[in-house]
Amino acid sequence: MVGIVALLSLIVGFVTTFYVRQFLGYHFPDSPLISLFLAIATFAFIMLFSGVIAWIGIPGVVIFALLMFFSLPLMVMAPQMLPQAYQDYFLPWLPMRFLYEGIREILYFKAGFLNQNTWSLIIVAGIGLLMFFLETFGKRHQKTFI
C-alpha cells in the first residue's frame, strides 16, 4: 500500500503543476522542485490520514474534517491577517500549514527543496507510517492458533 501511495503522490505532484501551468498559465520558477514538494506533502497527508484511520477508525474522519475546516482561512488570507487567537491556538496545530508555508517559501523566498517545512512534512509522513504499521501489525490483527 505504501508503494501505491508513493506512486500516487508523485503523480499528483507532477500533474498538479502541469495543470496549473497549462490551464492557469502560471510559470513556476522551478517546476520539478514544486512538483516534488507537492508529492511529499501529498504522501505525508495520505499517510497521516491512513495512520489515524487505522488507529482510531471512522472517528478519525471527523478529526480531519475539523482540521480542514480550520485550515481554510490559511488558503484565503495571509497568516498575519488572521485573528490573534487563531494565530496562537489553531495555527500551530494544523499539519496543513507546512504545505502552505513551504510553497510560500519556495515560490517567493527562493528557499531550497530541503527547507524546514519539507523536513516537517517528512516527519508527519513518518508519524503516519508509524501509526499505520503499528496498528496493522499490532496484537489486534495477529492470528491466534489453538
Side-chain angles (χ1 to χ4, degrees), residues 2 21 57 61 72 74 91 103 106 110 120 136:
V2 176
R21 277 194 325 256
V61 175
L72 284 176
L74 280 175
L91 195 58
I103 287 290
I106 291 172
K110 307 290 188 242
S120 299
T136 303

Side-chain angles (χ1 to χ4, degrees), residues 9 14-15 20 24 30 46 53 56 66-67 69 77 83 91-94 96 98 115 117-118 126 132 144:
S9 299
F14 281 92
V15 167
V20 168
L24 299 179
D30 193 2
I46 291 174
I53 294 297
I56 64 174
L66 287 173
L67 285 174
F69 175 74
M77 295 167 68
L91 195 58
W93 290 96
L94 293 174
M96 286 65 120
F98 300 124
N115 56 37
N117 294 302
T118 307
F132 183 75
T144 55

Side-chain angles (χ1 to χ4, degrees), residues 7 19 47 50 80 84 112-113 117 121:
L7 181 64
Y19 280 147
M47 283 291 94
S50 299
Q80 295 80 10
Q84 192 64 35
F113 177 69
N117 294 302
L121 285 170

Side-chain angles (χ1 to χ4, degrees), residues 21-23 29 31 69 109 118 131 143 146:
R21 277 194 325 256
Q22 293 299 316
F23 295 131
S31 185
F69 175 74
F109 300 122
T118 307
M131 289 172 62
K143 293 182 180 179
I146 298 177

Side-chain angles (χ1 to χ4, degrees), residues 53-76:
I53 294 297
W55 196 265
I56 64 174
I58 297 299
V61 175
V62 175
I63 293 171
F64 280 95
L66 287 173
L67 285 174
M68 291 299 280
F69 175 74
F70 285 116
S71 67
L72 284 176
L74 280 175
M75 291 191 289
V76 295

Side-chain angles (χ1 to χ4, degrees), residues 11 84 86 119:
I11 292 170
Q84 192 64 35
Y86 193 89
W119 287 112

